[in-house]
Amino acid sequence: MKETEHAVVQSLRTHDLFSGLSDAQHARLLPALHIREFSDGQMLFQQNEQAPAFFVLYSGTVKLYRVSNDGHEKIMRLIEPGQSFAESVMFMDAPRYLVNAGGLNAGVLVAIDAAAYLEILQDSFVACRAVLANLTQRIEAHWDEIEALSLQNSRYRVVHYLLSLASDCDAGPTTVRLPATKSLIAAKIAVTPETLSRILRLLQDEDLIEMQGHDLHIPNLVSLREQLMA
C-alpha cells in the first residue's frame, strides 16, 4: 500500500463508524475500502441513484445538495475532512442516495462498500452501538440546524454556523477556515450573501471574530456562544 493510501486508511481508525472495530475487523474491511480523488465540480453521485457505498472525506470539501423544480440549488450540507456522508442510506431496504453530492474543493475520499460493512455490524454489538451513537448525534445536529433556520434571525444563523465550524475546539481562541464561498454558505443558512457579509462585518467590529480571506479567527468561543443567548 502506498504511503498516502496508508495514511488515508489509518485515518479511519479514529472515526466514529470505525473506532469500535477490532484489528481483525479492520483487516476484513480493507478490500471494501476504495480511495478516490475528485476535482472541483466533479459529480460524486446523484439523487435517487442506487447507493452501494457510503463515504468518509479525507481532504477537500464536498457539498450535498438538491435541485428544485425551477433549477435552484439548495445546499443541504457541506462535508469537511473527517466527516462521513450517505451512511444512513445503507439501512434502507433498497438503498438510494437522498441528495446529490459534488466536489466543491478538490480532495480525496474513501468509499466504503455498504454490504461489507453491514456484514461486520451483524457480528459486532460494539460497532453497532458506535454507529447508532453517530447517527443520533447527526439527528440532534439536524434538529439544531432546523431550529436555527426556521425560528431564529439572520445574526443567530450566522453565529450558529460559525460555531459549528469550531465544534471540536475548547473555549480558548481558535482559527478555522471557511469551507466554501460566502455565496454557498449564505445559501446553506438561508440568508442573502449581502446579509452574510454585513453580519460578518458587524461581528468583526464587535471583536468577536477576525477575518483574513477564508481564515476565521475566534478570539473567545465563549463570547461568541453568548451571542446565541442574546
Side-chain angles (χ1 to χ4, degrees), residues 20-186:
L21 302 185
S22 66
D23 290 343
Q25 288 169 329
H26 273 284
R28 177 179 163 190
L29 193 60
L30 279 177
L33 305 180
H34 307 284
I35 298 171
R36 292 168 50 183
E37 296 182 355
F38 61 90
S39 57
D40 295 358
Q42 180 178 339
M43 177 67 74
L44 302 177
F45 56 75
Q46 292 183 307
Q47 184 178 351
N48 293 324
E49 276 187 8
Q50 291 186 354
F54 65 98
F55 308 87
V56 175
L57 187 63
Y58 179 73
S59 63
T61 309
V62 169
K63 64 176 180 178
L64 305 183
Y65 65 99
R66 287 185 171 181
V67 179
S68 64
N69 292 334
D70 56 3
H72 287 92
E73 187 177 288
K74 171 58 181 174
I75 304 294
M76 310 302 291
R77 190 175 166 217
L78 295 176
I79 307 298
E80 290 299 297
Q83 295 181 335
S84 56
F85 58 103
E87 65 269 38
S88 59
V89 300
M90 68 175 146
F91 299 105
M92 297 177 177
D93 290 333
R96 292 185 179 276
Y97 295 120
L98 302 178
V99 294
N100 304 292
L104 191 57
N105 300 315
V108 176
L109 57 74
V110 185
I112 301 98
D113 182 88
Y117 184 77
L118 284 172
E119 285 183 8
I120 291 175
L121 291 189
Q122 290 175 348
D123 299 335
S124 173
F125 173 75
V126 173
C128 282
R129 186 172 181 176
V131 171
L132 288 174
N134 177 275
L135 294 179
T136 299
Q137 290 175 351
R138 183 76 55 81
I139 291 170
E140 290 176 348
H142 285 328
W143 278 116
D144 290 342
E145 184 173 0
I146 289 169
E147 178 185 10
L149 292 176
S150 60
L151 301 179
Q152 305 297 339
N153 60 33
S154 298
R155 181 184 172 100
Y156 184 103
R157 296 178 200 177
V158 173
V159 172
H160 184 273
Y161 176 75
L162 298 181
L163 287 170
S164 74
L165 299 179
S167 59
D168 295 331
C169 303
D170 57 23
T174 186
T175 299
V176 295
R177 187 168 180 81
L178 296 181
T181 63
K182 289 180 181 178
S183 60
L184 281 175
I185 292 172

